[in-house]
Amino acid sequence: MSILACLVVNVGNARKNYYTQKAELDSLRDKQHNLKAVGDKITEGKFNLVANEQELGKNYQELIQNAYGNCHNIKDLQNLKPQIIKYLGQSGYRQVHEQIVTTSDGKQVLIPSNNEEVHVGFSNYDSSNNTIDVTVCSIYNAKSYGVQGNNNKMTRTIIYINTVYSFATKSANQTSIQTASLGTNK
């Protein structure tokens, strides 16, 4: 009789345990059913990344073509300053200025004459900060002044720009600009 009593107690405990676990499972299923995906601006349809990249690419292409192709004097560079600051940030403007105007007395030593090509690429979109990494590569021709042995010769140059653009503030920062000479044109 004691074995039967133990079985009844165990079955009672098992049944109680079963109903407790079933109640927990039902509660979890209700929570799962009520869960909603946490959306961001893209998944909610409030931000069109492709369209924004296309517009931004067009703006970067135009800016680099102007700065490194149509910027024939210091005044031209000053006229581009607001655009350069918007798309390359303050540090980017300083770097562009140093490349085109490098002497302390403001004499221009590099005069871009034409821009052969500009390529713009995007990577690492951060939806929480609404920022994107922008990479620009361009080849342009320029006349070098004040460079021994290169006075008034056309130099073919490649420029590589990396920056982080914020769609939220409509500005860029963390800009890095590197250039390399591809040789002089005869």
Side-chain angles (χ1 to χ4, degrees):
M1 187 77 155
S2 79
I3 293 180
L4 187 58
C6 283
L7 283 176
V8 170
V9 170
N10 284 340
V11 168
N13 286 340
R15 186 174 284 154
K16 184 177 172 184
N17 196 13
Y18 166 78
Y19 287 115
T20 302
Q21 287 181 353
K22 184 179 182 318
E24 287 176 12
L25 181 61
D26 290 343
S27 173
L28 288 173
R29 283 187 178 143
D30 287 343
K31 285 180 183 178
Q32 179 185 18
H33 179 71
N34 293 328
L35 283 178
K36 291 190 169 119
V38 177
D40 60 19
K41 290 180 180 186
I42 291 176
T43 58
E44 292 174 355
K46 296 178 183 176
F47 183 77
N48 186 335
L49 181 59
V50 173
N52 278 283
E53 282 180 349
Q54 288 173 343
E55 179 71 21
L56 197 57
K58 185 182 91 178
N59 293 339
Y60 272 98
Q61 188 158 20
E62 182 180 298
L63 172 64
I64 300 307
Q65 284 175 337
N66 286 327
Y68 291 94
N70 298 327
C71 205
H72 302 296
N73 56 50
I74 295 170
K75 186 178 179 198
D76 290 343
L77 181 64
Q78 287 299 323
N79 290 339
L80 287 175
K81 185 176 181 177
Q83 277 183 288
I84 294 171
I85 290 173
K86 179 177 181 174
Y87 294 107
L88 301 177
Q90 283 288 350
S91 70
Y93 176 75
R94 279 192 302 278
Q95 291 174 69
V96 170
H97 190 272
E98 287 171 6
Q99 290 171 356
I100 296 175
V101 182
T102 60
T103 60
S104 59
D105 58 358
K107 289 184 182 172
Q108 198 168 13
V109 295
L110 181 68
I111 299 178
S113 63
N114 75 308
N115 195 301
E116 293 180 18
E117 57 188 279
V118 178
H119 301 279
V120 181
F122 302 99
S123 62
N124 301 327
Y125 176 70
D126 180 350
S127 62
S128 62
N129 293 317
N130 207 16
T131 60
I132 195 164
D133 292 352
V134 181
T135 302
V136 181
C137 183
S138 178
I139 296 176
Y140 64 94
N141 292 300
K143 284 186 180 179
S144 299
Y145 294 93
V147 179
Q148 195 162 10
N150 263 1
N151 275 350
N152 213 13
K153 289 185 181 175
M154 289 295 263
T155 303
R156 198 161 178 247
T157 305
I158 188 167
I159 186 167
Y160 188 75
I161 302 169
N162 283 310
T163 192
V164 177
Y165 184 82
S166 170
F167 291 106
T169 63
K170 300 201 181 309
S171 63
N173 61 33
Q174 300 175 11
T175 299
S176 161
I177 300 176
Q178 299 171 338
T179 61
S181 173
L182 299 175
T184 57
N185 295 337
K186 306 222 177 232

